[in-house]
């Protein structure tokens, strides 16, 4: 399925979603949001998909909101932001964050404003060495959104979150990896092959367990030890009833590679 602003291709169990407004660094219009929703709907209907790979076309990953698209057609002043935040960004961030499938993000270039927030909502983020992350909001008199103020303090710590969001300076991919904001930074030419290999590898893993691991790790940020021990017990009981658990144990004992089905 290929829209104008979002390209979806499925192979080897991986759905690759490519943001496709390269001339505007893949910044979000309401049309791009609608096409991205349609791509994610299509992925949800396709039982062959067991991992998602999100990336951008051209030299940018995503420059956040398209600042032309928020202008009032008559006054040419920025219009209200509430509708797109509630109807587009919040559901998108929630959907990527909570998806039952692993979501790999290949940050191929600059990720600015909500573009950075969307990358941080994904599970495993790789970035090209030439890519960067910019909390651009303050430069246009705004505050972080699309979950940026939720993710940044949790993954970077308060000191770095405040420095990044208050100053709005570019953070290069290498430093982002050193600070633990992303999984790893790789040479530009290696980004897509590495990200794809990772997504294909995840697609062959026990999908149900991967979804439960996400729930566990995400849950631990909010939970105390008692709550987390309860959550672990509940999720482990579910994982232990799966085909892939039985297969994993059998393969180990028979000294052969496992063949996971994802359930
Ligand atoms: C753009 C954009 C862009 C339009 C580059 N829009 N054209 C949510 C809901 C509602 C309201 C508001 O906010 C939000 C959340 C947000 O995301 S707020 C933050 C919005 N994003 C920004 O403020 C980032 C604006 N862009 C930049 O600061 C720079 O473009 C960065 C640092 C990303 C990249 O700089 P350069 O590599 O020097 O590229 P460039 O600036 O030359 O951009 C290339 C083209 O892309 C250029 O178009 P042109 O026709 O002149 O070639 C830019 O105008 C266009 N572009 N970002 N967000």
């Amino acid at each position: 399925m290929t829209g104008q602003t979002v390209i979806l291709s499925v192979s080897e169990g991986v759905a690759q979603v490519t943001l496709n407004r390269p001339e505007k660094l893949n910044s979000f219009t309401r049309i791009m949001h609608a096409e991205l929703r349609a791509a994610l709907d299509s992925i949800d209907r396709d039982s062959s998909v067991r991992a998602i790979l999100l990336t951008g076309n051209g030299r940018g990953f995503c420059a956040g909101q398209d600042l032309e698209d928020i202008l009032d057609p008559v006054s040419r002043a920025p219009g209200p932001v509430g509708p797109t935040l509630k109807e587009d960004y919040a559901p998108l961030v929630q959907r990527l964050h909570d998806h039952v499938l692993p979501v790999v993000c290949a940050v191929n270039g600059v990720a600015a404003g909500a573009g950075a927030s969307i990358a941080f909502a994904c599970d495993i983020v790789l970035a090209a060495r030439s890519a960067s992350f910019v909390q651009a909001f303050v430069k246009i008199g705004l505050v972080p959104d699309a979950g940026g103020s939720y993710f940044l303090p949790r993954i970077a710590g308060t000191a770095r979150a405040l420095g990044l969001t208050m100053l709005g300076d570019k953070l290069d991919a290498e430093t982002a990896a050193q600070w633990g904001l992303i999984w790893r930074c790789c040479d530009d030419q290696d980004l897509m092959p590495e990200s794809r290999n990772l997504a294909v590898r995840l697609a062959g893993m026990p999908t149900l367990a991967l979804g439960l691991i996400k729930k566990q790790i995400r849950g631990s940020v909010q939970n105390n030890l008692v709550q987390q021990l309860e959550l672990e017990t509940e999720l482990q009981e579910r994982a232990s009833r799966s085909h892939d658990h039985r297969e994993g144990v059998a393969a180990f004992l028979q000294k052969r590679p496992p063949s996971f089905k994802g359930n």
Side-chain angles (χ1 to χ4, degrees), residues 23-25 59 63-67 81 84 89 114 137 142 145:
E23 68 291 351
K24 297 292 172 189
L25 304 182
R59 73 174 180 90
Q65 171 63 38
D66 182 310
L67 297 174
V81 300
T84 185
Y89 286 98
F137 309 94
L142 290 180
D145 61 20

Side-chain angles (χ1 to χ4, degrees), residues 240-257:
S240 71
R241 290 194 295 270
S242 66
H243 162 274
D244 286 346
H245 170 56
R246 289 192 298 279
E247 167 62 8
V249 173
F252 176 79
L253 295 176
Q254 293 160 18
K255 300 191 188 307
R256 61 169 174 84

Side-chain angles (χ1 to χ4, degrees), residues 106-109 126-131 184-197:
V107 180
N108 53 300
L126 296 94
R129 208 165 296 285
S130 66
R184 61 183 253 101
C185 161
C186 36
D187 289 339
D188 287 18
Q189 69 275 15
D190 296 336
L191 176 73
M192 287 321 291
E194 277 204 30
S195 304
R196 180 130 198 113
N197 282 345

